[in-house]
Amino acid sequence: MFQGHFIVFEGIDGSGTTTQCLLLAAHLDAAGIPVTLTREPGGTPAAEQIRNLVLDPTLGEISHMAELFLYAASRSQHVEELIIPSLERGDVVICDRYIASSLAYQGFGRGLDLGVVSQVNQLAVGGCCPDLTLYLDLPTEVARTRRDQRGGEVDRLEQLGEGLQERVARGYREIAAGEEKALVFDARLTKERLALSIRDALRERWSWFPKERE
């Protein structure tokens, strides 16, 4: 359908998805491969405004269905405005979170029906699905330590505590186990070792993926 490749990183808060997105994008860019690096919720001006709303720690509790629709609205705009045009011109699109996040957080975490979550998201993205999703698996207690060390403002979902994170972590493992286009990595590795492991796996999967620099 598209000329480019669509790679998504998924994992609980603190698993390192943002760091690994940056490292993979830098590796491809250094090899002269066009890259679009983006994130969810967000990625476009309108979608970033929705991100600011849905993660606002002062917002308090909103209905779980409203939360699902907000994420889906951001994703729909993101796909139409940024992801599809980037794939059509042949870029490798690297996205920090995508549909699996909604399944994990709003489905497993919030308890919404997984069929409903999936249907809403399919309406939002149409046929724009990742070529590969990379799951960074990390024990929740290690993720909590990393988030504490990171510091900064805690977003609205992080305020909900470890119970949510544990349900989401279990959800990610179940989603990854049932997905053909998925690879799971041990996120307890150092960021450098993990980045090498990811690149080795992608190189084994795709002949076009660049070799390590000497």
Side-chain angles (χ1 to χ4, degrees), residues 4 17 19 22 31 48 75 81 111 113 148 155 183 205:
T17 59
T19 297
L22 290 166
E48 288 288 336
R75 183 161 295 133
E81 185 178 347
D113 182 271
D148 291 343
D155 69 37
L183 294 174
R205 191 178 189 93

Side-chain angles (χ1 to χ4, degrees), residues 193-212:
R193 288 282 303 278
L194 179 55
L196 283 172
S197 179
I198 289 169
R199 295 201 295 264
D200 285 344
L202 296 181
R203 194 174 297 112
E204 183 176 337
R205 191 178 189 93
W206 289 321
S207 60
W208 59 264
F209 194 86
K211 298 179 180 180
E212 295 297 326

Side-chain angles (χ1 to χ4, degrees), residues 99-206:
I99 292 174
S101 283
S102 287
L103 290 168
Y105 280 86
Q106 280 71 57
F108 288 91
R110 295 300 211 175
L112 293 179
D113 182 271
L114 291 174
V116 171
V117 176
S118 180
Q119 184 178 23
V120 168
N121 276 279
Q122 290 306 318
L123 288 171
V125 306
C128 188
C129 296
D131 294 297
L132 193 62
T133 302
L134 311 181
Y135 291 90
L136 306 187
D137 187 49
L138 189 68
T140 54
E141 61 271 17
V142 178
R144 180 178 64 249
T145 299
R146 289 184 180 180
R147 293 196 302 271
D148 291 343
Q149 292 172 345
R150 182 176 64 197
E153 187 177 37
V154 177
D155 69 37
R156 191 178 60 85
L157 290 182
E158 290 173 339
Q159 287 178 337
L160 298 175
E162 291 307 297
L164 176 69
Q165 294 297 325
E166 290 170 1
R167 294 192 298 275
V168 169
R170 289 195 298 270
Y172 270 132
R173 293 183 187 113
E174 187 170 327
I175 295 165
E179 189 175 334
E180 291 184 7
K181 297 180 179 180
L183 294 174
V184 180
F185 297 88
D186 185 352
R188 292 173 296 183
L189 297 172
T190 65
K191 64 181 181 181
E192 295 83 7
R193 288 282 303 278
L194 179 55
L196 283 172
S197 179
I198 289 169
R199 295 201 295 264
D200 285 344
L202 296 181
R203 194 174 297 112
E204 183 176 337
R205 191 178 189 93
W206 289 321

Side-chain angles (χ1 to χ4, degrees), residues 1-141:
M1 182 177 182
F2 302 115
Q3 299 178 44
H5 289 80
F6 187 12
I7 301 171
V8 171
F9 281 83
E10 295 281 2
I12 61 173
D13 297 325
S15 62
T17 59
T18 301
T19 297
Q20 293 304 320
C21 282
L22 290 166
L23 291 173
L24 180 58
H27 177 73
L28 293 174
D29 184 66
I33 294 176
V35 177
T36 293
L37 178 62
T38 189
R39 68 174 184 178
E40 289 211 341
T44 71
E48 288 288 336
Q49 288 292 325
I50 299 174
R51 177 189 181 90
N52 293 337
L53 171 64
V54 77
L55 295 181
D56 185 350
T58 68
L59 185 62
E61 188 62 35
I62 61 174
S63 82
H64 297 170
M65 285 299 294
E67 188 176 84
L68 172 64
F69 285 126
L70 284 169
Y71 279 113
S74 173
R75 183 161 295 133
S76 179
Q77 183 66 28
H78 189 204
V79 166
E80 183 173 340
E81 185 178 347
L82 180 69
I83 294 177
I84 287 179
S86 299
L87 291 171
E88 286 178 340
R89 67 172 175 260
D91 286 12
V92 175
V93 175
I94 300 173
C95 190
D96 189 354
R97 303 184 183 279
Y98 198 58
I99 292 174
S101 283
S102 287
L103 290 168
Y105 280 86
Q106 280 71 57
F108 288 91
R110 295 300 211 175
L112 293 179
D113 182 271
L114 291 174
V116 171
V117 176
S118 180
Q119 184 178 23
V120 168
N121 276 279
Q122 290 306 318
L123 288 171
V125 306
C128 188
C129 296
D131 294 297
L132 193 62
T133 302
L134 311 181
Y135 291 90
L136 306 187
D137 187 49
L138 189 68
T140 54
E141 61 271 17

